[in-house]
Amino acid sequence: MHPAFLGLITIILGVGGCIGYFWASNFFLDKVLFPPRGPDAGRNINRANMIRPWLFLAPAVFALGLYLAYPVVETLRLSLTNRVPGGGYEWAGLENYTQMAGDPKFREALFNNILWLIVVPALSTVFGLLAAQLTDRIKWGAVAKSIIFMPMAISFVGAAVIWKLVYDYRAAGEEQIGVLNAIVVSLGGEPTAWLTVPFWNNFFLMAVLIWIQTGFAMVILSAALRGIPEETVEAAIVDGANPFQIFFKIKVPQIMGTIVVVWTTITIVVLKIFDIVFAMTNGQWETQVLANYMYDKLFRANDWGVGSASAMVIMLLVTPILVWNVYNARKEMR
Amino acid sequence: MDNIAGKKSSLSWAVNISVVALVLLWIFPTVGLFVSSFRTADQISATGWWKALFPTEQVVQLRTGDPDDLRVADGDGFIVTGNLFGEEGGSLSAYGVSSRDVGAFAPGETADMGDGESMTVEEDGSYTWRGNGEQISGRGQRVFVTTTTPPEFTTANYERVLFSGDRTDSMAKAFFNTLTVTIPATIIPILIAAFAAYALAWMDFPGRALLIAAIVALLVVPLQLALIPLLKLHNEIGIGKGYLGVWLAHTGFGLPLAIYLLRNYMVGLPRDIIENAKVDGATDFQIFTKIVLPLSFPALASFAIFQFLWTWNDLLVALVFLIDSSGDTTVMTRQIVELLGTRGGNWEILATAAFVSISVPLLVFFAMQRFLVRGLLAGSVK
């Protein structure tokens, strides 16, 4: 069967199934199980209203449980076991973790990921704040915003190709077709294969993600800047503050909360970064990161124990943000 | 706002220039890919793409016709006439007769080659070569001409990538596969999430706060954790690798954001409307389908765009849940990564393939930017 046809059937079945489920379960609840008629009408309405939320929630709770909650537990279990040839698992305790900790590739991945965690959220937020503040003050700001925001729509893989062209390297003396090397050569430098220079190549990969995430930071920070009460800025101007003082001493402190949200959101993206490294260097030349290390272990080395252990490391790094988000959400709901 | 004191900001020009620089920096890499996708392989490896936008100057070495055949007597010497470009035609902006100074003469000027020998080349390439019998013999005279080629672009790359059917280069199949993944994976989570969001926003039941907290928590759970457990599960229940598996996976991974966005939006709907409807005897199901769903259109659109961009641009989920060893179900992101491996130097194919893949999200982005921004704001600013 042609996949497009299959897709169409799935849409019809999926959408029809969803609507059918919700309609039929509500119908059953109201007409058959607890009809709001007869001697028990009042009690039946109450009972129906107790059950109905769970009818609405059931598919979502099922999918969330199966696709996100269960895997956390299962990955934890897999990371503590080893696969026995021929099927089955045996308890391995922390063996996978110690094995992983001894793997130089893992240390490299952890080190690089920490580097990413420091550099990318910081620079994306700074560039985003800069872009937000500057574009808010000019007439063609909307167009400028659109352009800076645009990389958000481009896939990590597409961005990898775009930036590989920027970093392209030809031997010295040949015509350079990568912008970066062309600039270096025109300034009298030697062309360099940027992605193969250990340590520094990490920064060339990070540039790709910063390029993508700056737009996101800009959009959110720009909204926050516009939400600042004008009186505070006016008062500062009357008091003779210069534009830099207004920005750093009046505006930035007032949007600190939003800056933190942007920072943490980008941090989560960074922790999961996979495609850029996979497509540009695949972890060669000391550019390994955790998610790509995990993919290597799971699907190339077929080592589920160590692979799951490295996935748990990513989960562990995400956990503080998770707790902080939940704490804030609950505080806000009260 | 900064001008209320009545003076125009003296920083205005600096701001404009900085924004121009920032915008150029941000768009430059993408433009490079776009321009490269319209150039031939030879052009790409000969010059940087930024030079493609301007006419290029080239110096080529041409020869006059063979004097032994073509020379005609002219007074006490000989003369050879003809056109350097032959029948193809062309134009030149300068010429020279010695490799030491290839652009010594403007068209129409006469080059003195010593001992009475001379050469005159016109702009259209026609030349007159004079000299005595000894000079006008042997091989044709070398002439260096400087020609200007206007920018030249081709759509051949797109024809090759989209319509050639070549197994390694073709994106047509991957394009449809991506579409097949994307559309159900966008529509199904919206429906499931909308019902759940309504329950979380407008129904009162024990455990509601806990569920909302759980969804906020699941928002940040890395999907990396789900890869092996779910692949194992899919294999056990017989789905294996395929479209069904990838649709389900995208649905599961997209749900937390969908529920979160939609619930936040629905909570903000006016309470009166919903309570009036309840008083009038409408059931929750009717309130949801007739009132809440239509009113929530902006939030639905925001999430739809997110999910569309995310599923279209995804590589990891497709690699794990969809693409089997036959490669028939490959998606565009995967195809591009393959091309990076096999055709790392063939920028014309790579650039075109990448641009085919990013053009659809870019169209969606520019058409629906409003909803995207709104969704981002609802999703992260609290």
Side-chain angles (χ1 to χ4, degrees):
Chain A
M1 199 171 3
H2 194 273
F5 188 59
L6 194 71
L8 199 68
I9 291 181
T10 310
I11 296 177
I12 294 168
L13 276 183
V15 173
C18 280
I19 293 173
Y21 159 78
F22 287 115
W23 183 82
S25 61
N26 274 282
F27 183 84
F28 180 74
L29 190 68
D30 289 332
K31 298 284 142 116
V32 183
L33 205 54
F34 298 119
R37 285 188 305 270
D40 291 338
R43 234 175 79 209
N44 276 355
I45 289 177
N46 284 341
R47 280 176 176 166
N49 281 343
M50 270 174 63
I51 292 178
R52 199 183 325 274
W54 299 103
L55 289 183
F56 275 57
L57 283 164
V61 169
F62 175 74
L64 285 174
L66 186 64
Y67 277 83
L68 286 167
Y70 155 76
V72 176
V73 181
E74 176 69 3
T75 302
L76 181 64
R77 188 182 76 82
L78 285 174
S79 75
L80 297 173
T81 56
N82 277 327
R83 270 200 293 182
V84 181
Y89 300 87
E90 61 174 14
W91 179 254
L94 293 176
E95 200 181 292
N96 290 319
Y97 289 89
T98 47
Q99 189 192 333
M100 182 175 72
D103 182 355
K105 242 356 203 178
F106 170 76
R107 290 194 203 159
E108 176 194 317
L110 193 64
F111 172 78
N112 286 341
N113 243 47
I114 290 169
L115 208 60
W116 279 73
L117 280 178
I118 296 168
V119 175
V120 175
L123 286 186
S124 305
T125 312
V126 167
F127 276 125
L129 192 57
L130 190 73
Q133 168 68 8
L134 293 178
T135 50
D136 273 348
R137 294 162 57 124
I138 55 175
K139 282 187 198 133
W140 54 286
V143 180
K145 272 203 186 105
S146 256
I147 289 170
I148 296 174
F149 192 32
M150 181 191 74
M152 275 291 281
I154 296 176
S155 61
F156 288 148
V157 174
V161 176
I162 290 175
W163 283 84
K164 264 205 131 162
L165 182 59
V166 172
Y167 297 147
D168 192 88
Y169 162 77
R170 299 284 159 109
E174 284 180 48
E175 180 93 5
Q176 297 295 334
I177 64 166
V179 179
L180 196 57
N181 271 319
I183 293 171
V184 167
V185 168
S186 74
L187 294 176
E190 281 285 305
T192 313
W194 304 105
L195 292 176
T196 62
V197 187
F199 186 68
W200 299 108
N201 49 9
N202 283 305
F203 294 93
F204 292 109
L205 296 181
M206 288 176 209
V208 183
L209 192 58
I210 294 169
W211 179 70
I212 293 174
Q213 292 295 329
T214 294
F216 161 77
M218 177 196 65
V219 164
I220 292 184
L221 294 171
S222 156
L225 282 175
R226 261 184 259 136
I228 291 177
E230 276 194 38
E231 304 86 70
T232 58
V233 178
E234 284 167 14
I237 294 174
V238 170
D239 288 347
N242 68 38
F244 289 99
Q245 286 173 326
I246 292 174
F247 182 65
F248 286 109
K249 297 203 168 146
I250 307 292
K251 289 184 173 176
V252 170
Q254 294 196 66
I255 58 166
M256 215 53 206
T258 313
I259 292 180
V260 173
V261 170
V262 168
W263 195 293
T264 49
T265 310
I266 299 177
T267 301
I268 291 167
V269 176
V270 171
L271 276 171
K272 295 192 273 191
I273 191 66
F274 164 75
D275 313 33
I276 292 178
V277 176
F278 183 78
M280 287 182 88
T281 63
N282 200 5
Q284 294 176 81
W285 307 296
E286 297 175 27
T287 54
Q288 191 64 290
V289 289
L290 285 174
N292 195 49
Y293 176 83
M294 190 209 76
Y295 185 85
D296 263 354
K297 285 292 168 198
L298 287 183
F299 299 105
R300 296 218 181 89
N302 240 332
D303 187 342
W304 288 10
V306 173
S308 300
S310 52
M312 286 314 291
V313 171
I314 301 179
M315 183 67 212
L316 200 70
L317 291 169
V318 170
T319 306
I321 298 173
L322 185 152
V323 172
W324 188 77
N325 276 0
V326 171
Y327 170 77
N328 275 330
R330 292 195 62 107
K331 197 170 65 180
E332 190 190 307
M333 271 192 304
R334 270 189 215 119
Chain B
M1 194 155 78
D2 294 314
N3 301 330
I4 52 157
K7 55 168 186 173
K8 182 129 179 70
S9 172
S10 59
L11 287 174
S12 178
W13 60 271
V15 169
N16 269 298
I17 289 174
S18 321
V19 176
V20 168
L22 210 56
V23 163
L24 285 180
L25 189 66
W26 248 253
I27 202 166
F28 202 68
T30 316
V31 174
L33 190 78
F34 182 67
V35 171
S36 295
S37 72
F38 289 101
R39 303 179 79 201
T40 64
D42 291 343
Q43 285 172 326
I44 290 177
S45 54
T47 52
W49 63 265
W50 54 94
K51 291 182 184 161
L53 304 174
F54 308 103
T56 45
E57 281 205 339
Q58 274 183 302
V59 176
V60 286
Q61 180 192 322
L62 299 172
R63 256 177 211 286
T64 62
D66 188 341
D68 295 333
D69 297 340
L70 296 172
R71 69 182 189 180
V72 288
D74 175 49
D76 49 353
F78 290 95
I79 180 169
V80 178
T81 57
N83 193 312
L84 287 171
F85 294 119
E87 297 188 351
E88 290 162 33
S91 75
L92 56 99
S93 57
Y95 76 97
V97 288
S98 143
S99 60
R100 266 167 297 173
D101 195 354
V102 293
F105 305 100
E109 277 181 9
T110 300
D112 183 2
M113 295 157 73
D115 295 336
E117 187 183 358
S118 72
M119 170 76 73
T120 311
V121 181
E122 301 295 334
E123 196 181 348
D124 63 357
S126 59
Y127 61 89
T128 313
W129 179 24
R130 289 171 205 282
N132 59 34
E134 205 174 302
Q135 288 157 340
I136 311 285
S137 66
R139 297 184 67 193
Q141 170 66 34
R142 281 190 306 174
V143 181
F144 298 92
V145 303
T146 306
T147 58
T148 309
T149 339
E152 206 182 336
F153 297 104
T154 169
T155 53
N157 298 330
Y158 284 90
E159 274 158 38
R160 174 152 176 204
V161 161
L162 289 175
F163 308 115
S164 75
D166 182 306
R167 202 173 153 79
T168 45
D169 292 344
S170 173
M171 292 290 277
K173 191 183 178 72
F175 188 93
F176 284 107
N177 289 347
T178 305
L179 212 60
T180 312
V181 170
T182 308
I183 293 175
T186 305
I187 295 175
I188 295 170
I190 291 183
L191 264 172
I192 297 179
F195 276 95
Y198 175 76
L200 290 174
W202 288 106
M203 287 169 155
D204 218 5
F205 59 93
R208 186 172 80 154
L210 203 67
L211 260 180
I212 296 173
I215 282 159
V216 173
L218 290 176
L219 266 177
V220 298
V221 168
L223 67 88
Q224 267 89 354
L225 270 78
L227 301 181
I228 283 291
L230 289 179
L231 189 60
K232 214 154 57 95
L233 184 84
H234 281 178
N235 284 331
E236 276 162 16
I237 60 174
I239 296 176
K241 280 188 162 200
Y243 286 110
L244 190 58
V246 83
W247 290 325
L248 290 175
H250 275 309
T251 301
F253 300 149
L255 268 182
L257 182 68
I259 298 175
Y260 182 73
L261 276 182
L262 291 176
R263 181 199 163 264
N264 279 0
Y265 191 85
M266 286 178 186
V267 157
L269 293 176
R271 180 169 282 273
D272 298 352
I273 303 183
I274 290 158
E275 280 177 356
N276 284 345
K278 271 195 182 153
V279 170
D280 291 345
T283 65
D284 274 312
F285 190 70
Q286 285 168 327
I287 294 173
F288 174 71
T289 49
K290 300 230 166 87
I291 300 174
V292 173
L293 214 50
L295 283 177
S296 304
F297 177 76
L300 295 172
S302 296
F303 173 73
I305 296 166
F306 273 124
Q307 182 75 355
F308 176 81
L309 290 180
W310 156 241
T311 49
W312 185 279
N313 289 339
D314 160 76
L315 171 67
L316 186 55
V317 176
L319 274 180
V320 175
F321 293 108
L322 175 64
I323 301 166
D324 52 25
S325 49
S326 73
D328 283 336
T329 49
T330 190
V331 293
M332 280 196 288
T333 45
R334 161 71 188 202
Q335 189 86 350
I336 292 168
V337 172
E338 294 258 290
L339 285 175
L340 271 173
T342 55
R343 294 193 172 275
N346 293 35
W347 278 110
E348 76 287 1
I349 297 296
L350 254 179
T352 313
F355 211 82
V356 167
S357 151
I358 65 177
S359 58
V360 174
L362 282 183
L363 278 179
V364 171
F365 171 82
F366 282 114
M368 317 259 234
Q369 202 179 357
R370 201 160 46 95
F371 291 110
L372 191 66
V373 169
R374 203 189 313 216
L376 269 186
L377 292 177
S380 25
V381 178
K382 287 179 283 178

